Amino acid sequence: MTNRSAVDTIRGYFYQFDFSILKVLQLNDDKDSISVECVEDVDIHTATEVTAVQCKYYAGTEYNHSVIKPAIMCMLTHYKAIKDSGGPLVRYSLRGHYKSGHHKLLLPINVEFLKQNFLTYSEKKVVNHHYVNLELNDTDLTEFLSLLDIDIHAASFEDQFAQVISELQAAYHCTRFEAEYFYYNNALVLVKELSIESLPDKRTITKKTFLERSDTSSVLFNEWFVRRRGRKNILLRCEKNILPS
């Protein structure tokens, strides 16, 4: 019997990888960049701001506030650290795809809703308030909400994948077949490699570099040509200075 939990987990990882590919392809400037697994799943860097995005796929799960509470608490903790350091504020984005339960969250939320549903928790039968522990007041929480974007209607696995393929077609001016079976595979491998780098700086990549590193068409063509013509035949032609036709 198939382990559905494992399948859902794997789909979740691929969903996040696809989201990373989509975000870097959608950057407006070649110098803009993304970072993988730094502040959040994907951090988007432009000339004017940084947006930390957590992207989750819960196709078999009903939405409940408890599902996204840990993420919001972590984002608030990061907000507090930035405030204390005097650094530039970061925008936060929470993206999730759920099977049902969307009616439970009415946006936009206010400070009281934030406190009650996302920043209050019980530990050893003691009620704790995360905002109190962080020494944040209502003014701080209002500012945090202005930086927070929640979307629990994120695209399905299939729809997001279709978006990725369309963006690859546009980026490389290629057919859907080429986008799906060549450029997408390269992009996926690249995101995987970025995600396992130990240093944050090495998990960051500009749009320009991403497009260049995902395009190995010339290498592939050369390899194909060698196989098609035969390595020995090509070496003989090179020795005789005969260009292959």
Side-chain angles (χ1 to χ4, degrees):
M1 181 179 292
T2 302
N3 185 334
R4 294 301 305 170
S5 177
V7 170
D8 290 342
T9 298
I10 292 170
R11 283 173 69 89
Y13 281 122
F14 275 101
Y15 187 82
Q16 182 179 322
F17 286 168
D18 285 355
F19 182 80
S20 300
I21 296 170
L22 184 62
K23 290 297 105 178
V24 72
L25 292 174
Q26 289 178 337
L27 291 171
N28 293 324
D29 194 299
D30 283 350
K31 295 179 181 178
D32 292 342
S33 63
I34 65 164
S35 297
V36 180
E37 298 293 349
C38 287
V39 177
E40 290 294 343
D41 296 331
V42 184
D43 303 335
I44 303 169
H45 304 261
T46 69
T48 57
E49 65 183 19
V50 176
T51 302
V53 186
Q54 183 163 134
C55 170
K56 300 302 179 186
Y57 188 68
Y58 297 106
T61 303
E62 178 182 359
Y63 170 81
N64 285 295
H65 301 323
S66 60
V67 178
I68 66 174
K69 177 188 285 190
I72 292 179
M73 290 176 63
C74 286
M75 289 173 174
L76 187 67
T77 299
H78 184 264
Y79 164 82
K80 167 66 174 177
I82 293 291
K83 290 276 286 187
D84 288 349
S85 69
L89 294 177
V90 170
R91 303 194 68 83
Y92 303 95
S93 179
L94 192 59
R95 294 280 180 271
H97 179 84
Y98 302 88
K99 178 181 179 181
S100 59
H102 303 85
H103 63 281
K104 299 175 185 178
L105 182 64
L106 298 179
L107 299 171
I109 62 175
N110 57 32
V111 169
E112 289 307 313
F113 190 94
L114 176 68
K115 287 180 179 179
Q116 180 180 346
N117 294 285
F118 298 123
L119 303 179
T120 300
Y121 63 98
S122 295
E123 190 173 58
K124 296 180 180 179
K125 297 183 179 180
V126 177
V127 177
N128 291 273
H129 303 288
H130 192 53
Y131 57 94
V132 173
N133 297 339
L134 294 176
E135 300 181 343
L136 296 173
N137 57 35
D138 284 5
T139 300
D140 297 320
L141 295 181
T142 299
E143 182 178 51
F144 173 72
L145 282 177
S146 73
L147 299 169
L148 175 64
D149 179 42
I150 302 175
D151 179 10
I152 60 172
H153 296 272
S156 68
F157 187 94
E158 293 76 16
D159 288 345
Q160 180 175 263
F161 178 74
Q163 283 184 280
V164 171
I165 299 305
S166 294
E167 291 289 344
L168 286 169
Q169 282 185 262
Y172 292 108
H173 308 289
C174 64
T175 66
R176 179 177 177 82
F177 180 88
E178 292 170 322
E180 183 171 349
Y181 293 100
F182 178 68
Y183 292 106
Y184 172 72
N185 290 332
N186 289 349
L188 190 61
V189 169
L190 180 51
V191 169
K192 184 202 72 173
E193 291 174 348
L194 291 172
S195 69
I196 60 176
E197 286 286 355
S198 58
L199 299 176
D201 287 350
K202 291 190 175 182
R203 296 198 297 274
T204 299
I205 190 167
T206 64
K207 180 178 182 178
K208 182 177 185 293
T209 301
F210 188 91
L211 291 174
E212 290 173 347
R213 289 180 60 182
S214 294
D215 185 4
T216 58
S217 54
S218 60
V219 176
L220 184 64
F221 176 79
N222 290 338
E223 177 68 18
W224 171 85
F225 191 87
V226 168
R227 289 178 181 235
R228 179 70 176 82
R229 292 287 183 152
R231 189 176 300 275
K232 183 177 181 180
N233 183 42
I234 289 178
L235 290 175
L236 287 173
R237 285 173 174 267
C238 288
E239 288 177 0
K240 295 178 181 179
N241 199 26
I242 301 174
L243 294 176
S245 58

